[in-house]
Amino acid sequence: MWLWFAALSYTIGVGTPGDANAATAPQDWSTQYDKVIGGEPGTDDALPFLQNVRTAADGTTIAVVQARRVTVWDSRHLSEPVLELWPRDDVAQLGSSRNVQLDSTGLWVRYDRGLGRFLLDGRLVRTMPSPPDEWVQGGIVVLGDGTLLARERFPFPHQVFNWELGHPGWQIAVAHLRLANDGWMADTVAIYDSSGRTLGLAVRRNQMFSGQPFADHDLIYWNRPAGAVGIVARNMGTGEVEVVEVGPGQDTVLEARVQLPLSLLDRDTIEAAIASHMQRISRRLRSSDDSLAASTLHDLVEAALHIPDHLPPVTAVVATASNEVWLRSSEPNDSMAVWYAINRTQPTSPPRRVFLPEQFMLRDATDTHVWGLHVDRRFAGQVQGRRLVPIG
């Protein structure tokens, strides 16, 4: 019987980290409901299969991604899109749309089998094939010269039973890709450790996998406006978080350290996570006419969980058109999610603290608005642009 968990941190060795931020008096902000595309979840006007929303830096141009559909909107007039990029015969061979990268003159659309560059008037000006499968699972950044930044595929879950803690297979590469005559060429930009993402349990013939509920491995994000990959080291145990961005050629474009509140991981929260996993495993065992004593199953799950002293100080990260990096904190709040926004032009200044509705899925921000999704479990709902309002 195998039980496995892991959590290691890797900090990019590219220069000296910036001065630690005290963050003792962050600027507090809230938001107001302001702009909307689509209807509330559960209504006839809800947009189906919403995946993403991105905005240009000035906040005027908005790109919305749904399954098999990309639309462009003028945020000043949201009655109908100004551009619809599906269905189109000139990109039909590329498959379904998956994501967008928006700038002041146009957008790149990532499809199943390639990428297309469109001007804001709808003209298709360039297409590119997709890189090999190993590089397309974690998102792509298209640089100004048409080269790419991409992350290699995460390990398959079953490998948690074969790799020891810190095995080099957990070292995930981010590469600068360029298309040459003989195919794609990849130059490594950064390496980070992904171990600790997956909980693996083997009970007799049953193997079960899920995400570690208290995982504190490094987080990766794409800063598409800056043409860089970001890595957030968040398991230092003190609440300090290190944010590093690296561009092509291993050029460091951002270094910041932020002190965030730490929340103790209490026993009730741990027991709730154990109970949830016990239910899943019990259902799997019953389906194969098997069973295990509750006390034994409890001990197996607890041994496989990664249980630090504190919740990870950051649970999500988003780089925005406002030239900020937004970090979602795990600090408790009755009804709101707490985010900290680092100003990339002043990375040593205290970040501002922003309270967002719990059901609002942040995807982008400008100087005046945050943009995101409000959807149901089937990702049907609306795009919201919420106006930023200072508190006090």
Side-chain angles (χ1 to χ4, degrees):
M1 181 180 297
W2 260 92
L3 302 171
W4 179 95
F5 71 88
L8 293 180
S9 175
Y10 177 88
T11 303
I12 298 177
V14 283
T16 303
D19 296 333
N21 293 341
T24 54
Q27 308 167 63
D28 285 351
W29 295 71
S30 184
T31 63
Q32 293 177 347
Y33 186 88
D34 188 19
K35 301 176 183 291
V36 65
I37 304 172
E40 289 275 353
T43 67
D44 292 339
D45 295 328
L47 300 178
F49 308 116
L50 276 170
Q51 297 177 354
N52 203 1
V53 56
R54 303 296 295 185
T55 176
D58 65 2
T60 300
T61 306
I62 308 296
V64 176
V65 183
Q66 298 169 257
R68 299 183 59 83
R69 186 185 187 209
V70 175
T71 50
V72 179
W73 303 72
D74 184 330
S75 64
R76 297 163 296 186
H77 311 285
L78 292 175
S79 57
E80 59 182 22
V82 297
L83 179 63
E84 185 159 352
L85 297 178
W86 182 88
R88 289 181 58 140
D89 293 338
D90 52 0
V91 289
Q93 75 279 6
L94 299 180
S96 298
S97 55
R98 300 180 64 180
N99 211 341
V100 296
Q101 180 177 323
L102 183 65
D103 55 53
S104 60
T105 62
L107 66 161
W108 284 95
V109 179
R110 180 184 169 195
Y111 297 92
D112 292 330
R113 296 184 291 276
L115 298 105
R117 171 68 180 180
F118 298 88
L119 300 184
L120 292 179
D121 62 8
R123 282 180 291 166
L124 176 68
V125 294
R126 184 176 180 183
T127 61
M128 286 194 298
S130 284
D133 286 346
E134 66 178 297
W135 294 107
V136 299
Q137 301 301 315
I140 290 174
V141 175
V142 187
L143 304 178
D145 59 1
T147 61
L148 310 176
L149 289 177
R151 187 208 75 199
E152 69 177 324
R153 184 196 300 267
F154 278 129
F156 291 105
H158 71 269
Q159 291 173 316
V160 302
F161 296 116
N162 300 318
W163 288 351
E164 299 293 333
L165 188 69
H167 188 284
W170 293 118
Q171 302 296 315
I172 305 301
V174 177
H176 182 209
L177 305 182
R178 62 188 188 279
L179 191 59
N181 292 332
D182 53 352
W184 288 94
M185 306 293 291
D187 297 317
T188 299
V189 171
I191 298 287
Y192 70 102
D193 199 314
S194 72
S195 56
R197 296 176 65 251
T198 306
L199 183 149
L201 261 173
V203 181
R204 302 189 179 103
R205 295 171 297 173
N206 295 279
Q207 291 188 358
M208 288 149 282
F209 305 96
S210 65
Q212 285 278 3
F214 313 119
D216 56 4
H217 60 281
D218 293 352
L219 295 179
I220 181 177
Y221 67 93
W222 299 113
N223 191 331
R224 289 178 171 86
V229 58
I231 296 177
V232 180
R234 55 179 182 148
N235 69 345
M236 301 179 185
T238 62
E240 187 176 57
V241 175
E242 183 179 48
V243 181
V244 177
E245 290 182 4
V246 185
Q250 298 181 334
D251 296 325
T252 303
V253 297
L254 174 69
E255 292 178 283
R257 285 180 179 261
V258 182
Q259 188 72 36
L260 298 182
L262 269 181
S263 300
L264 284 174
L265 182 53
D266 60 81
R267 191 65 204 179
D268 288 344
T269 303
I270 295 170
E271 288 295 335
I274 292 174
S276 176
H277 283 82
M278 287 176 63
Q279 290 177 358
R280 293 180 61 248
I281 296 168
S282 295
R283 288 195 297 268
R284 175 72 67 86
L285 292 174
R286 286 197 298 271
S287 68
S288 59
D289 296 325
D290 204 347
S291 64
L292 206 62
S295 59
T296 302
L297 188 55
H298 180 283
D299 292 343
L300 292 178
V301 173
E302 183 169 12
L305 283 177
H306 171 56
I307 306 177
D309 292 333
H310 301 84
L311 292 170
V314 172
T315 59
V317 56
V318 178
T320 62
S322 57
N323 203 24
E324 296 172 308
V325 178
W326 289 60
L327 307 172
R328 177 166 178 169
S329 171
S330 60
E331 64 187 273
N333 190 278
D334 290 340
S335 60
M336 307 292 280
V338 184
W339 290 78
Y340 288 82
I342 300 171
N343 185 334
R344 293 181 72 255
T345 63
Q346 298 176 320
T348 60
S349 298
R352 59 175 172 170
R353 180 169 55 191
V354 185
F355 298 91
L356 299 179
E358 187 69 40
Q359 74 275 11
F360 178 81
M361 302 169 63
L362 177 67
R363 290 293 185 265
D364 212 339
T366 66
D367 293 337
T368 60
H369 287 75
V370 290
W371 287 87
L373 310 178
H374 175 39
V375 296
D376 60 22
R377 292 183 178 180
R378 292 182 289 185
F379 285 85
Q382 61 186 192
V383 173
Q384 290 185 359
R386 302 184 64 89
R387 181 175 294 278
L388 286 158
V389 180
I391 298 175

